[in-house]
Amino acid sequence: MAGHFEATPGGGAAVALDEVEISILRSLAVQLLELIGPGDQPADGEDPLAALFAEGPSEPPTDPALARLFPDAYGGPGGPEGSTGAVKPGEERELRERSAEFRRFTEMDLRSGKRDDALAVVRTLDALSPAQEGGAVLTLTGDECLSWLRSLNDLRLTIGTRLEVSDEDQGEEGSLYRLPDTDPRKPMVMAYLWLGALQESLVETLMP
């Protein structure tokens, strides 16, 4: 089980983690929470329903990692996300306006969801009972597994953006696997690759 998730009754999963792994995962989840932000809380006397339907930002975040977590719904200047080819003349402004409107009414909910997922990671780690060897077995319910999957993906997107990782870097022959130990990026690269393996293991465990 060490380092790999295994299925548990009821649609959950379990994995053995040592003290260092627990510490790293918790630290990264807390940093993700700090990056996403605390969210807008209703002020004293403010109608909670009014706060619930408050509009969010219309412009994409300036932080590249946040922009990766909350991309434009209709793509940037190059065209809608997932499309090929450039935008036709006159369409770029319309795409920006549509993206701004979509962001204004969805980003607050998206941020709230990502915060909830990262909090689930922190809380499940904090609830662990250490074993004699210094580690613990993390056992997740089905819902907690989904929160972990989403949060692991958010962590990898964030770290990958900070490292400026490209698709070519990630294969077994890619540059990420050939960094010298003296490279200052090496610890973060190792965390990035480990999170990917952990995420893949959890996906495989949950597959029917």
Side-chain angles (χ1 to χ4, degrees):
M1 180 186 292
H4 296 277
F5 278 96
E6 294 182 4
T8 60
V15 63
L17 300 170
D18 61 34
E19 286 184 336
V20 174
E21 292 170 332
I22 294 170
S23 177
I24 291 173
L25 282 168
R26 191 185 189 285
S27 175
L28 290 174
V30 169
Q31 291 179 59
L32 180 61
L33 282 167
E34 293 172 349
L35 176 67
I36 295 171
D40 293 333
Q41 300 297 325
D44 292 339
E46 182 181 357
D47 183 358
L49 286 178
L52 179 63
F53 291 103
E55 295 183 4
S58 59
E59 296 296 325
T62 56
D63 185 309
L66 281 175
R68 187 68 180 89
L69 292 176
F70 305 101
D72 275 336
Y74 298 97
E81 191 170 3
S83 67
T84 57
V87 177
K88 295 180 181 179
E91 288 186 354
E92 184 176 326
R93 179 179 177 181
E94 179 184 353
L95 288 174
R96 285 200 303 266
E97 291 175 348
R98 290 168 63 189
S99 291
E101 181 179 14
F102 186 85
R103 181 181 297 278
R104 188 162 59 248
F105 292 107
T106 61
E107 183 167 316
M108 299 299 287
D109 284 342
L110 291 174
R111 284 181 180 256
S112 178
K114 291 182 184 298
R115 280 194 298 271
D116 289 345
D117 290 334
L119 279 171
V121 172
V122 173
R123 287 167 178 163
T124 51
L125 292 173
D126 286 348
L128 290 176
S129 299
Q132 290 184 348
E133 294 79 10
V137 175
L138 174 71
T139 303
L140 304 174
T141 66
D143 288 341
E144 289 169 344
C145 285
L146 296 179
S147 290
W148 266 74
L149 276 177
R150 291 188 293 260
S151 204
L152 287 171
N153 188 62
D154 288 343
L155 286 171
R156 293 191 74 246
L157 287 175
T158 300
I159 295 174
T161 302
R162 296 286 190 238
L163 293 171
E164 298 182 347
V165 172
S166 66
D167 292 339
E168 292 75 17
D169 296 326
Q170 300 187 59
E172 291 189 3
E173 301 300 324
S175 61
L176 290 184
Y177 289 85
R178 294 183 279 106
L179 284 180
D181 293 339
T182 55
D183 194 306
R185 298 172 296 166
K186 187 65 175 284
M188 193 57 68
V189 166
M190 296 302 295
Y192 175 81
L193 295 174
W194 174 57
L195 290 172
L198 201 62
Q199 182 183 22
E200 182 178 359
S201 171
L202 183 53
V203 169
E204 292 174 351
T205 299
L206 298 178
M207 290 179 63

